[in-house]
Structures are given as structure tokens and as C-alpha cells.
Amino acid sequence: MAASGEGEWASSREDGDTIILSVEGEREAKHRLVERTNILGIVNIVVKGLMETSMQQGKTLNDAHPQLQQCLVAVEQALKHGLRTKRSMLGQKKSFWAVVEGFEKMSTDFSESISNVRGLPGIKTAVGRGRAWLRFGVMQKKLGDYFRTMTDNKTKLREWYEEDSIMVRDEGQVLAGLLMGLNAIDYNMTLSAEEFDKSVGPLDLSGFLRDGNCGISGGSASRGAGDEEGGESGLAQLLDQKAYLEEHNRKLELSLEKVQTRLSVAECSVGQLEERVREEEEEVGRLRQERDDLREMNERSSAELRRALENLQDDQKAELETYVQTRAGLNDLYSATQRNLDTESRRRSQLEQELELLKTSRTEKETAMLLLEKSVHEKQDTIVGLRRQLEEVKTANLKMTSQLKTTQETHQRDSLKIRGIENKLSQTTANLKKADKDLQEVRSSLRESEKTSSELGQKLQEVQLARSSAEQDLSIEKQWRASLQMEIQREKDRVVELTNELKKARVIKKVRLLQ
């Protein structure tokens, strides 16, 4: 029983702690929301008041301007909201300069602004460098762009800020948009480097509220200022701001009466605006008619140019096909002529070889004939000697007679051989005459081949001349086509100019309607 009682008491205690923690979390979230709303409202007040003052004075502001000082203090408070505490050897520090340095590589302008701040001598603290960076952004009319760059990278901002801080939540985008308005003022930084490290006073909204700018609730403003100073000074500022708010309400009532008067005047001018609208509509109708006429004219000219271009392309294709066919026929004729010339050259070389062989054979035959003549002469001398011996040995015995008969038979055989040799010599002479005749025929055919080759060369030159003339005609046609394309481009440019004029007329109409 005791154990069960203790368990119930422990569980009830845990439930109570959980409820307390959840209530404290809700209070903390509400407190953070109130802080964001107050800081954003304060920035809205000081930025609008500073812009109105700058527009009224119409001169360059410097650091001595009180509203500019309060505006930069409010922006600094917005940057410090929800900033994580940095621990060091000297204690806990809370500066937004580390956040600014973390975005150094995001853009060229960001990097240049940080480099300019680092180049200022005499600034010793990170807070001073952060304040100098804010003033550089206002002076360069880029502070809103810097805040937009930072708020667009919420993942990176979470490294330095809490989840419910202004820079991480949607209020950061609103803050960047408000700071865009500072681009309309001209500012010249006049503070020395040592003054950036000094502490600043509490935020004072009295100058802005007296000028009639939109404010926030007295409790919210005092809470925002109390985050900086607190105590009795915050209560005094609360009373002053309450009085200013009452005066601001009275001014708002007067402004409402003026607005109603302006509304009646605006209703009177509606009729005039409607008449102007009708006139503009008639003018727009006339411009549309002109646009339609120009469009129709452009379409007709484009169609004519397109047809001319198609005809030109057809003519070029036909001429190109004719040129290709003619060139193919000439190439075939040239190839056939070259083959004939090669055949005739080979035939001529063969005939020359045969002629050389015939000459060699003739020389050999002449040598053989000389040898035969020499042999005949020798045999004739032998016959003469034998006859002389025959006369000397007529009285020889039968043996010598038989030898004589044998010698006579030998002489007959030699005579037959001589006759055969003489027949061969006559045949050889006939063959030589025939070879000479063939050689003359070969020379005549060679001369004809050379004549045909020269004629083909002349024809080839004529074909090359025709080809060059066709290429010149083709280049002229290309130039003509380029000129036509240039005319088409000029027509297109004219259409673009007319379209731009029509757009300008529409813009003028919209401006007049807005007026």
C-alpha cells in the first residue's frame, strides 16, 4: 500500500512538472512573439519617420542626426534578438558581427562592405565593427539588400540565432523590406573609429511619435526599451509615449477629414478619367487597325519573299542537277579517253618491243647469210681445187673414181643445202618487208591517237570553262539570296519596332488610367 501510494505521488509530481514546463514554454513563446512584434513595430516607426524627415529636409544626413541614430539602434536591437551567446576567456559576449562575417562570400557587395569595415583603423570590438557595417550599408544604399541576402539563407542563420528570433522567422523578410526604404536617403558617415566602440543610450521614440508616424502600444514600446535599459527611465518614456499617442490620434482624425475631402474631389475627376479612357480606347482601336494592316502587309511581303526564295531554290537545284549530270558525263568521257590512251600506249610499247625483236632477228639472219656466203665461197674454192685435181687424176684407178662420185654426191647435197638457205633468205626478206609495213601502220595509229588525245584535252578545257562559269553564276545567286535575307530581316526589325510602339501606347494608356 505504501509503495503504491509513493508511485502515485511520483507520477502526479511528474505530471505537475510537465504541466508547469508546458505553461512556461507557452509563456516564453508568447514573450518571444511580443518581443518580435515590438521590435518590428519600432523599426517600422523609426524607418518611416527617418524617411519623412529626410524627404522634408532634402539634404544629406550625418551621424549627428538624432532620428538616424535611433534608427540604427533599433536595427541593432533587431540583429541581437535571439542571438546565441558566445563564450570566451573574458566571459559571455553577444555580437552580430560574427553573423555578418559568415555571409562574406555570399556576394561581391557583401564582401566589399566587410573589407571596408576591417580597413577602418581604431575599432577594437566586434560590436563597433558591426555598427560601422550598418552605417556603411546605409551610406551605400544596400543595407536592405544585405538583410535580404541573410534572411534568404535561414539554414545558415540557425547557426547563430535561436529558432524564434526575428532573423530566422518570417519577420526577418519584413525587416529586410522595411530597410529597403533607407535606400531613399542620403547619408555621410562622420563618426570617428573610437566612437563605434562606445555604448549607446536607450531607444527614444518621442521624436518619431511627435512627427505623426505609425506607432505601437505604450506597453510594447516600453517593453522594447526595457530590454535595453529598464527601471524608472522606461516608465518615464512610457508616459511620454502615451501622451504622444493621444496627440497622434487627434492628428489621424484631422487626416481622415482631409481624406474624405480628397475622395469627393476624386469622384469628380472620375468622369474626366472615363472620358480619357474612351479616347484612349479609340486610339487603341486605331492602333490595333494599323497593327492589323501592318501585320497583313508583312504577311504578304513574307509570302512573296518566301515564294521568290522557293523559286530561287528550285532553279538552283535544277542547275545543280544539270551541272552534276554534265560533270558526270564529262568524267565518264575523260575516263574512257584515258583508258583508250593507256591501251594505245601499252599497244605501242608492245609493237616497239616486237620491232626490236624483229630488228634483232634480222641482224642475226644477216650474220647467218654472211657466214653462208663465206661458206659457199670456200666450197666453190674447194670445187675448183677438186676439179683441178679431177683433171690431174683422170687417169686414176677406180678407187679414185668412186671417191670422185662420192665427192660429187656431197657436192649435190651441199647444193641442196645452199638452195634451202637461199629460200630461207628470201622468206626472211619478205618478213622484214612485212615488219616495216606493220611499223608504218603502228606509227600512223600512234599519230591518230595523239590527235585524239589533243582533241579530248581541248574538250576538257571547254568543260572546265563551263564549270567555272556555272560556279560564278552560283555565287551570284548566293549573293542575291543573302540580299533577300537582309530585306527579310529589315522587315522583321520593322515589325519589332511597330510592336514596341504598340506596347508603349498600351503603357501610356495604363498610366493615364492610373492618373
Side-chain angles (χ1 to χ4, degrees):
M1 294 287 290
S4 63
E6 290 178 357
E8 291 176 356
W9 180 79
S11 62
S12 62
R13 184 178 180 182
E14 291 176 356
D15 294 338
D17 293 339
T18 304
I19 293 171
I20 292 171
L21 290 174
S22 62
V23 171
E24 290 179 354
E26 291 178 358
R27 289 178 179 176
E28 184 68 21
K30 290 180 180 180
H31 179 66
R32 289 284 188 177
L33 178 60
V34 171
E35 286 181 349
R36 291 198 303 270
T37 305
N38 290 342
I39 293 174
L40 193 63
I42 292 170
V43 174
N44 186 16
I45 291 173
V46 295
V47 170
K48 288 185 178 180
L50 181 60
M51 289 176 60
E52 291 181 0
T53 304
S54 176
M55 296 292 289
Q56 291 173 1
Q57 294 179 358
K59 63 180 182 181
T60 303
L61 305 181
N62 54 26
D63 291 299
H65 197 279
Q67 291 184 345
L68 177 62
Q69 294 176 2
Q70 297 300 318
C71 179
L72 293 174
V73 170
V75 175
E76 184 176 347
Q77 291 297 324
L79 282 171
K80 289 181 179 180
H81 182 260
L83 186 64
R84 299 180 191 273
T85 302
K86 179 181 178 183
R87 298 181 180 273
S88 64
M89 298 296 293
L90 301 177
Q92 295 181 353
K93 293 184 179 180
K94 200 172 185 180
S95 173
F96 61 89
W97 174 245
V99 181
V100 175
E101 287 183 325
F103 287 85
E104 182 176 2
K105 298 181 180 179
M106 296 302 293
S107 66
T108 305
D109 296 335
F110 223 110
S111 177
E112 290 179 357
S113 65
I114 294 174
S115 299
N116 292 331
V117 172
R118 289 172 178 168
L120 291 175
I123 301 178
K124 300 179 180 179
T125 63
V127 176
R129 284 189 286 271
R131 292 169 181 169
W133 177 78
L134 290 175
R135 285 164 173 77
F136 265 113
V138 176
M139 186 172 63
Q140 296 174 350
K141 301 181 185 295
K142 294 180 179 179
L143 186 60
D145 297 331
Y146 297 157
F147 271 75
R148 181 61 56 84
T149 302
M150 289 192 293
T151 54
D152 286 342
N153 294 272
K154 295 185 183 298
T155 304
K156 198 167 186 177
L157 284 174
R158 289 185 175 92
E159 298 177 6
W160 293 282
Y161 287 97
E162 301 291 343
E163 188 64 31
D164 52 0
S165 63
I166 289 179
M167 298 298 291
V168 175
R169 302 301 291 267
D170 296 336
E171 286 85 349
Q173 300 286 342
V174 179
L175 178 63
L178 290 174
L179 295 180
M180 287 291 184
L182 296 179
N183 296 341
I185 68 173
D186 295 327
Y187 163 70
N188 187 16
M189 187 169 64
T190 57
L191 285 179
S192 62
E194 292 78 7
E195 294 179 355
F196 289 115
D197 296 329
K198 296 180 180 179
S199 60
V200 297
L203 186 64
D204 185 10
L205 301 179
S206 60
F208 299 99
L209 294 176
R210 285 195 187 94
D211 293 336
N213 292 306
C214 296
I216 60 173
S217 66
S220 299
S222 63
R223 189 178 295 112
D227 292 338
E228 186 69 24
E229 286 289 325
E232 295 179 357
S233 61
L235 182 59
Q237 290 181 3
L238 174 62
L239 296 175
D240 291 339
Q241 291 171 4
K242 182 178 179 182
Y244 296 146
L245 285 174
E246 292 176 355
E247 183 182 356
H248 176 64
N249 290 332
R250 184 178 58 80
K251 290 182 178 180
L252 287 178
E253 291 176 356
L254 295 175
S255 300
L256 180 60
E257 294 178 357
K258 293 180 181 179
V259 169
Q260 289 177 352
T261 305
R262 291 178 183 176
L263 180 61
S264 61
V265 174
E267 289 176 352
C268 295
S269 62
V270 167
Q272 298 177 357
L273 292 175
E274 289 178 352
E275 186 177 356
R276 288 183 183 179
V277 168
R278 286 194 296 272
E279 292 177 356
E280 291 296 333
E281 288 179 352
E282 293 176 358
E283 183 68 19
V284 169
R286 186 178 62 79
L287 291 174
R288 285 179 179 174
Q289 184 65 31
E290 292 180 358
R291 182 197 63 185
D292 295 336
D293 295 338
L294 291 173
R295 184 178 295 172
E296 185 178 358
M297 186 185 299
N298 185 25
E299 289 177 355
R300 287 200 299 271
S301 60
S302 299
E304 291 176 358
L305 290 173
R306 197 179 297 110
R307 287 195 296 272
L309 185 61
E310 289 176 356
N311 295 330
L312 179 62
Q313 289 178 352
D314 294 336
D315 295 338
Q316 288 180 352
K317 287 180 181 178
E319 291 180 358
L320 183 61
E321 290 176 357
T322 304
Y323 170 71
V324 170
Q325 292 176 359
T326 305
R327 183 172 181 179
L330 292 174
N331 289 333
D332 295 338
L333 180 60
Y334 178 74
S335 300
T337 305
Q338 188 69 29
R339 287 196 297 273
N340 293 332
L341 183 61
D342 294 339
T343 303
E344 292 296 334
S345 299
R346 288 194 299 272
R347 184 178 177 185
R348 179 179 178 181
S349 61
Q350 291 176 359
L351 290 174
E352 287 179 352
Q353 291 177 1
E354 291 179 358
L355 181 61
E356 291 293 332
L357 292 174
L358 290 173
K359 286 181 179 179
T360 305
S361 177
R362 182 178 179 182
T363 303
E364 292 176 353
K365 288 180 180 179
E366 288 178 353
T367 304
M369 285 181 66
L370 291 174
L371 293 173
L372 289 173
E373 287 178 356
K374 185 177 180 181
S375 177
V376 168
H377 289 306
E378 290 177 355
K379 287 181 179 180
Q380 286 178 355
D381 294 337
T382 303
I383 291 170
V384 171
L386 289 172
R387 285 177 180 177
R388 191 169 52 252
Q389 290 177 3
L390 183 60
E391 290 176 355
E392 290 177 355
V393 291
K394 283 182 179 180
T395 59
N397 52 19
L398 293 173
K399 186 177 179 180
M400 294 298 292
T401 303
S402 61
Q403 291 178 354
L404 180 58
K405 289 179 179 179
T406 305
T407 303
Q408 288 177 353
E409 290 176 358
T410 305
H411 177 66
Q412 289 177 359
R413 286 195 299 273
D414 292 335
S415 297
L416 292 173
K417 290 180 179 180
I418 290 169
R419 290 194 192 94
I421 291 170
E422 288 177 351
N423 291 330
K424 289 180 180 180
L425 183 60
S426 61
Q427 290 178 0
T428 303
T429 304
N431 290 331
L432 288 173
K433 289 178 179 180
K434 186 177 179 181
D436 290 334
K437 185 177 179 181
D438 294 335
L439 181 61
Q440 290 177 0
E441 290 177 356
V442 168
R443 288 176 178 175
S444 62
S445 64
L446 183 61
R447 285 194 295 273
E448 290 177 356
S449 298
E450 291 175 353
K451 183 177 179 181
T452 304
S453 177
S454 62
E455 290 176 357
L456 290 174
Q458 292 177 359
K459 289 181 180 179
L460 182 60
Q461 290 178 357
E462 292 176 357
V463 169
Q464 290 177 353
L465 291 173
R467 177 184 177 183
S468 62
S469 64
E471 290 177 351
Q472 291 177 358
D473 294 338
L474 183 60
S475 64
I476 291 170
E477 289 175 355
K478 287 181 178 178
Q479 293 176 359
W480 185 33
R481 181 179 180 183
S483 64
L484 288 176
Q485 290 178 352
M486 290 176 66
E487 291 178 1
I488 292 171
Q489 186 63 33
R490 286 197 291 270
E491 290 294 332
K492 289 181 179 178
D493 294 339
R494 184 179 177 187
V495 171
V496 171
E497 291 176 358
L498 292 173
T499 306
N500 292 332
E501 291 178 359
L502 181 59
K503 290 180 179 179
K504 289 179 181 178
R506 289 178 179 174
V507 172
I508 292 170
K509 178 184 175 181
K510 290 180 179 179
V511 171
R512 291 179 178 176
L513 289 174
L514 293 174
Q515 291 177 355

